[in-house]
Amino acid sequence: MSQREISTRPPGGVVPAGGVFAPYGIEALEDDPELAAICEFACKLIDAPIAVVSLIDEERERVLAGTGRAERELPHADSLCARAAKFQGLIVSEDVQADSRFDPLPAGSDIRFYAGMPLISPEGHTLGALCVMDRQPRPGGLDAMQRQGMEVLAQAIMRRLGHRREGLAREKEMAVTLRRIGRMADGIPAITWTCSPKFEFDYFNGRWREFTGEDPPCDNEGWRAFLHPDDADEAMNHWAEMSKAGEPYESEYRMRHVSGEWRWVLSRAVPMQKRDGSIERWFGTVTDIDEQRALSEQSELLAHELSHRIKNIFAVIASLVALRGRQHPAGQAFAAELAEAIAALGRAYDYIRPSGGRHGHRLVGLLKDLLAPYLADGKERITFHGDDCRLGESAATPLALVFHELATNSAKYGALSRQEGRVTLTMHTDGEAGTIRINWLESGGPAPESQGSEGFGSRLIRMAVEGQLRGRIERHWLDDGVAVEVTVPLEALQR
């Protein structure tokens, strides 16, 4: 009777006792569904009743998964797989009872046919074998497809074992990292913590107990107990939303201090992701910002008070100008213009004062506020089209001067001086050039009387556009009004 075997290289040796189990966490792989499915398929492939995935050390054979065999462990001396593990390639015995390679046979063994494919570690050690057995001899052994199938299945088993080994290695590295982080974190003034993807909190540095005086929470509901009732729902709902999306979390809320008072804290958390994008762990911090918040509120209160006083100064100056104008009839027209210009600057100041909030600091909002006096009759004498954009504090004042002057001139000499006159304002943003173009177009007004020398108002406009906004201005005189094109860098407009 012939026996066939494939030996691809000298045996790497069976791993000593204990060494085969530790790197792979074998206990968690017992009856593993993937390994069990491989055994079932091997039985079908070979048409045999018994298939097992065994790991072998110097003392025993340990079955991780199998079908058709009840034993989970065998002494090394009673294991056919231990004999087969001496070979580095597929070993096939048509009848083990007549095969000297299996001498001496275990007492009472009824196995006749045996096919085993060793499981080789990346280091070249034989960990065990994928074995298929039958109680009947099988002349002819395995055909070519069955031999190839055994090799492929053994590779699949090693991939499964390799994934388990890599996972344990990552967990070990993570544990070492966490210990190092823990030692460093105890020196950080903020609370630091970690939790699993299921929000099981497993680490807090010493600052938690210093701040709260209590044991740290184990889960989200335990955390909620430390939050101010008025802040808890919003903070926890935001955490649920961000953690579900796998995005960084940031929130401010009040937290109970060991002193019994509620203190404002800044809470942040970031996910640590695996290669496949799934979340492996969350890292977070909780920083006491109560004192900084109090100082910020005081500063804001002071800024509001200062802002209020500056607004009053605008009003006082405008009143003084108006009063002097009434006392000197010859300068009344000039005084009225000056008072209106001061009022326009006051409206522009609303866009730069702390928390002014008018129209969200937008360009169109400023223009509508400045031109409000010309919209008072309810008629659409001035219309706005095109792109709006954010307006920076530095640009509000020069823009107010420019468009107040354009509106004043139009009301005196141009389209706004007639009932049927109209002004169209069009904004166009050029993202590629990084500019915004604002077109002032009058229609329905008288023809301009002169295109001569530049007056004071024109010089004021040009200085504001070119000097303060780093832009350019062009004027075109039409039959029924004037067209003005102001082009400004977005950077200058939004600073």
Side-chain angles (χ1 to χ4, degrees), residues 152-189:
V152 171
L153 293 177
Q155 292 170 4
I157 293 170
M158 287 309 303
R159 280 195 298 272
R160 178 69 183 98
L161 295 179
H163 291 162
R164 175 66 180 166
R165 178 178 176 176
E166 290 173 3
L168 289 177
R170 284 198 302 270
E171 290 179 7
K172 185 176 180 179
E173 291 175 3
M174 178 66 70
V176 172
T177 301
L178 289 177
R179 285 196 295 271
R180 291 175 179 171
I181 291 175
R183 288 194 293 269
M184 292 187 295
D186 283 334
I188 297 174

Side-chain angles (χ1 to χ4, degrees), residues 118-169:
L119 304 176
I120 311 298
S121 74
E123 296 77 18
H125 296 295
T126 301
L127 303 180
L130 166 63
C131 306
V132 179
M133 295 169 279
D134 198 345
R135 296 179 178 86
Q136 303 295 328
R138 182 175 299 193
L142 302 181
D143 60 28
M145 185 187 74
Q146 291 170 327
R147 288 173 176 273
Q148 183 180 7
M150 289 288 289
E151 294 177 6
V152 171
L153 293 177
Q155 292 170 4
I157 293 170
M158 287 309 303
R159 280 195 298 272
R160 178 69 183 98
L161 295 179
H163 291 162
R164 175 66 180 166
R165 178 178 176 176
E166 290 173 3
L168 289 177

Side-chain angles (χ1 to χ4, degrees), residues 105-436:
L105 283 174
S109 173
D110 60 351
I111 299 300
R112 302 293 297 275
F113 169 75
Y114 179 93
M117 185 68 193
L119 304 176
I120 311 298
S121 74
E123 296 77 18
H125 296 295
T126 301
L127 303 180
L130 166 63
C131 306
V132 179
M133 295 169 279
D134 198 345
R135 296 179 178 86
Q136 303 295 328
R138 182 175 299 193
L142 302 181
D143 60 28
M145 185 187 74
Q146 291 170 327
R147 288 173 176 273
Q148 183 180 7
M150 289 288 289
E151 294 177 6
V152 171
L153 293 177
Q155 292 170 4
I157 293 170
M158 287 309 303
R159 280 195 298 272
R160 178 69 183 98
L161 295 179
H163 291 162
R164 175 66 180 166
R165 178 178 176 176
E166 290 173 3
L168 289 177
R170 284 198 302 270
E171 290 179 7
K172 185 176 180 179
E173 291 175 3
M174 178 66 70
V176 172
T177 301
L178 289 177
R179 285 196 295 271
R180 291 175 179 171
I181 291 175
R183 288 194 293 269
M184 292 187 295
D186 283 334
I188 297 174
I191 295 170
T192 60
W193 55 266
T194 65
C195 76
S196 71
K198 296 182 179 179
F199 313 119
E200 299 161 338
F201 292 91
D202 49 20
Y203 170 78
F204 284 84
N205 70 344
R207 300 298 177 187
W208 174 273
R209 188 172 292 278
E210 291 179 14
F211 188 91
T212 67
E214 299 185 29
D215 291 336
C218 298
D219 53 28
N220 283 341
E221 286 306 308
W223 189 290
R224 176 188 285 269
F226 292 90
L227 306 188
H228 192 286
D230 294 342
D231 304 336
D233 285 343
E234 181 179 353
M236 297 304 292
N237 289 341
H238 185 47
W239 165 240
E241 180 183 352
M242 293 297 99
S243 58
K244 182 178 180 180
E247 298 179 358
Y249 167 81
E250 181 172 317
S251 182
E252 292 184 11
Y253 50 75
R254 286 163 289 181
M255 194 167 173
R256 189 173 65 246
H257 189 256
V258 65
S259 65
E261 67 177 340
W262 295 101
R263 296 182 66 84
W264 282 99
V265 299
L266 172 62
S267 180
R268 289 173 171 158
V270 293
M272 180 179 180
Q273 296 179 326
K274 300 179 182 178
R275 293 179 180 176
D276 61 3
S278 62
I279 295 176
E280 186 170 22
R281 183 157 238 81
W282 283 90
F283 290 89
T285 60
V286 179
T287 307
D288 186 348
I289 60 169
D290 198 72
E291 293 182 4
Q292 296 95 311
R293 191 179 176 100
L295 288 173
S296 177
E297 289 175 353
Q298 292 175 8
S299 298
E300 187 174 352
L301 181 63
L302 180 61
H304 275 288
E305 178 62 23
L306 182 60
S307 173
H308 178 68
R309 296 194 179 196
I310 292 174
K311 285 284 289 183
N312 285 342
I313 290 174
F314 277 117
V316 169
I317 293 173
S319 297
L320 288 174
V321 170
L323 179 61
R324 290 292 186 267
R326 288 194 295 271
Q327 292 175 348
H328 301 278
Q332 225 170 30
F334 171 76
E337 289 184 16
L338 183 57
E340 178 55 33
I342 293 171
L345 290 176
R347 290 193 292 272
Y349 179 70
D350 284 340
Y351 285 78
I352 62 175
R353 66 190 178 94
S355 302
R358 301 195 63 175
H359 299 281
H361 302 288
R362 309 293 293 182
L363 172 61
V364 173
L366 172 64
L367 295 177
K368 286 185 176 180
D369 278 346
L370 289 172
L371 303 175
Y374 307 100
L375 304 173
D377 59 4
K379 297 181 180 179
E380 293 186 358
R381 303 193 65 196
I382 302 178
T383 57
F384 302 85
H385 304 279
D387 306 324
D388 195 4
C389 71
R390 182 177 62 82
L391 180 64
E393 295 180 356
S394 299
T397 299
L399 273 179
L401 288 173
V402 169
F403 287 96
H404 169 71
E405 189 66 26
L406 289 176
T408 299
N409 288 339
S410 181
K412 284 183 178 181
Y413 316 112
L416 294 180
S417 67
R418 293 186 176 181
Q419 191 67 27
E420 66 275 14
R422 299 288 184 269
V423 174
T424 300
L425 273 164
T426 305
M427 283 72 66
H428 174 71
T429 300
D430 187 338
E432 187 172 329
T435 61
I436 184 167

Side-chain angles (χ1 to χ4, degrees), residues 86-87 246 410 415 451 459 489:
K86 297 177 183 179
F87 299 90
S410 181
Q451 303 178 20
R459 288 198 302 274

